[in-house]
Amino acid sequence: MKAEPGLPFHVFSQSSITKHLTLKRYNDLKDIRTPSGYSLDQAIRSGIKNPDSSIGIYAGDMESYDCFAQVLLPIIEDYHHLEPGWSHKPDLQEAVLPDLDPKQTFIRSSRIRVARNLGRFPFSGNMNPDQRLALEETVKQAFKTLPETLSGTYTSFTNLNEKQFNALLEKGLAFRKGDRFMDAAGINRDYPLGRGIFISRDKVVRVWVNEEDHLRIIAQSPGGDIACVFNRLIQMIRALEDKLHFAFDRRKGFLTACPTNIGTAMRAGVHIHLEKLEKNPSFLETIARDHHLQIRGTGGEKTAVEQAVFDVSNARRLGISANTIVKDLHEGLQAIIHTERNL
Ligand code: DAR
């Protein structure tokens, strides 16, 4: 796709900003600053530096969604495939769904996460070192007041030597610096300062602090009992939202650094071993499309499939409830497993 002449980014790119940031919109927005001083040029620097971006823009605070609505709304409506009159669906109920694969023949693990940001702080790509440390301290205090069933330990990465950090990383209990897209957006600045992870005693619930968003609240467990993982996640979300004021908009839902994550800000997925479907990708793609699922490589976004282990998760985040997402995933996995068994 060709960018309009006069725009400050790569002439040919498939990103959402190439498609939706017209010269008029750029000129209308370029001199606007959000209350934290964030500009449109800062918001699109990742898409400028990485012409292969799929989106190319990151919010620097919750007010970015209003200040730059002229370009963010068309991007949101396009990416999330939203119908006119769309709105976030807030309901969040415990799920009751049978384990699809109790023998763990196919489903290796289930992982459900939500992104959350604290409204009174700038977002991850727009924070100075003091703000990252203040955010970390704020959530550390919240972790200390969790109920017994959710209690655990918080580890700040700056308190770890390389050996200790790598040991956590190998167990999937830490996170590295973000990719080049996040790097160009300023999200990796000062890493590992202010970054860390909370882990519940049963290790099912984890919270990443100061990664792409202020919080990534995660529940994960071996096997395919997605309802059990979802219900554990809800407990943690409810416990933290009582203590922390999350960036939220009635229509757009929970606000995140990347516009692809707003709404429920939830990604619910499994790692599933599909030897036959790996050889019949069109079958898998059809089931994924029919059940609003996205297929990723073993390591998640922008990675390859290794040993026929796929990352299958919800494609929709906004305009439907978290419970609908889990139900879509459950029904989609039922269809995938049925097809894998009978191919
Ligand atoms: N890599 C950026 C963002 C894509 C969505 N993934 C996120 N937010 N982790 C891009 O514009 O391609």
Side-chain angles (χ1 to χ4, degrees):
M1 185 178 305
K2 189 167 168 44
E4 276 189 69
L7 281 164
F9 42 80
H10 200 273
V11 173
F12 286 102
S13 154
Q14 292 307 316
S15 67
S16 292
I17 55 170
T18 304
K19 187 173 174 185
H20 295 288
L21 185 55
T22 60
L23 188 58
K24 178 182 180 321
R25 286 174 178 164
Y26 179 76
N27 287 329
D28 288 350
L29 298 171
K30 66 182 173 36
D31 299 324
I32 290 174
R33 297 291 179 274
T34 69
S36 71
Y38 194 68
S39 69
L40 179 65
D41 281 343
Q42 285 176 286
I44 63 174
R45 62 194 158 179
S46 181
I48 291 173
K49 189 166 180 195
N50 301 286
D52 58 335
S53 293
S54 55
I55 308 296
I57 187 168
Y58 288 86
D61 45 30
M62 64 185 290
E63 293 84 359
S64 297
Y65 283 94
D66 292 330
C67 294
F68 308 128
Q70 218 179 324
V71 65
L72 277 172
L73 273 182
I75 288 175
I76 287 165
E77 292 179 347
D78 182 11
Y79 176 85
H80 293 277
H81 308 298
L82 296 167
E83 301 298 327
W86 59 270
S87 178
H88 172 60
K89 301 285 184 293
D91 48 323
L92 188 63
Q93 313 296 331
E94 299 239 324
V96 180
L97 296 163
D99 183 341
L100 290 167
D101 186 17
K103 294 196 178 93
Q104 299 188 23
T105 310
F106 303 101
I107 302 179
R108 296 287 164 82
S109 63
S110 301
R111 180 182 190 272
I112 306 180
R113 66 88 169 148
V114 292
R116 292 292 185 268
N117 290 284
L118 277 61
R120 65 188 178 86
F121 284 89
F123 288 3
S124 201
N126 181 31
M127 295 175 96
N128 65 37
D130 290 343
Q131 289 164 331
R132 284 195 206 278
L133 289 169
L135 185 284
E136 183 186 38
E137 191 53 38
T138 302
V139 299
K140 273 168 70 175
Q141 292 313 313
F143 293 147
K144 285 178 184 166
T145 64
L146 287 169
E148 183 57 27
T149 52
L150 289 166
S151 63
T153 52
Y154 177 76
T155 305
S156 186
F157 293 170
T158 45
N159 295 343
L160 301 174
N161 61 37
E162 192 176 347
K163 188 163 175 278
Q164 291 166 324
F165 180 74
N166 288 335
L168 274 185
L169 212 52
E170 274 155 35
K171 291 180 218 157
L173 294 175
F175 55 88
R176 298 178 192 284
K177 257 188 179 182
D179 60 25
R180 58 189 163 91
F181 304 95
M182 291 160 70
D183 200 67
I187 292 169
N188 294 337
R189 202 182 303 125
D190 310 309
Y191 181 93
L193 183 84
R195 279 73 170 190
I197 183 167
F198 169 88
I199 304 168
S200 64
R201 278 213 307 279
D202 64 3
K203 291 202 173 24
V204 170
V205 179
R206 298 101 189 260
V207 184
W208 291 0
V209 176
N210 280 325
E211 198 243 5
E212 179 174 334
D213 291 289
H214 294 153
L215 300 180
R216 290 292 172 96
I217 308 169
I218 303 160
Q220 67 184 75
S221 180
D225 191 347
I226 58 175
C228 177
V229 169
F230 181 66
N231 296 338
R232 208 64 182 108
L233 177 68
I234 291 180
Q235 289 168 3
M236 188 60 161
I237 293 171
R238 289 200 174 122
L240 288 177
E241 68 190 6
D242 289 346
K243 305 168 187 0
L244 303 168
H245 179 72
F246 292 140
F248 181 80
D249 172 274
R250 283 171 58 83
R251 188 178 188 219
K252 293 187 274 291
F254 292 98
L255 301 176
T256 55
C258 180
T260 62
N261 277 314
I262 66 171
T264 58
M266 187 166 102
R267 190 165 98 85
V270 297
H271 270 175
I272 184 166
H273 185 238
L274 300 168
E275 270 182 349
K276 298 177 195 169
L277 278 168
E278 186 181 35
K279 300 181 183 73
N280 296 274
S282 61
F283 283 43
L284 186 54
E285 283 150 21
T286 302
I287 299 171
R289 191 181 56 246
D290 293 349
H291 292 276
H292 312 290
L293 300 178
Q294 67 180 167
I295 310 296
R296 294 180 175 184
T298 311
E301 190 176 28
K302 296 184 169 91
T303 66
V305 175
E306 292 160 19
Q307 295 168 346
V309 175
F310 292 80
D311 176 317
V312 177
S313 65
N314 58 302
R316 302 187 295 177
R317 305 225 194 304
L318 168 60
I320 49 153
S321 71
N323 288 80
T324 302
I325 286 173
V326 173
K327 190 167 154 291
D328 280 353
L329 178 65
H330 193 264
E331 289 173 2
L333 289 172
Q334 215 160 8
I336 287 170
I337 290 172
H338 175 78
T339 306
E340 177 71 10
R341 282 191 200 282
N342 296 293
L343 260 178

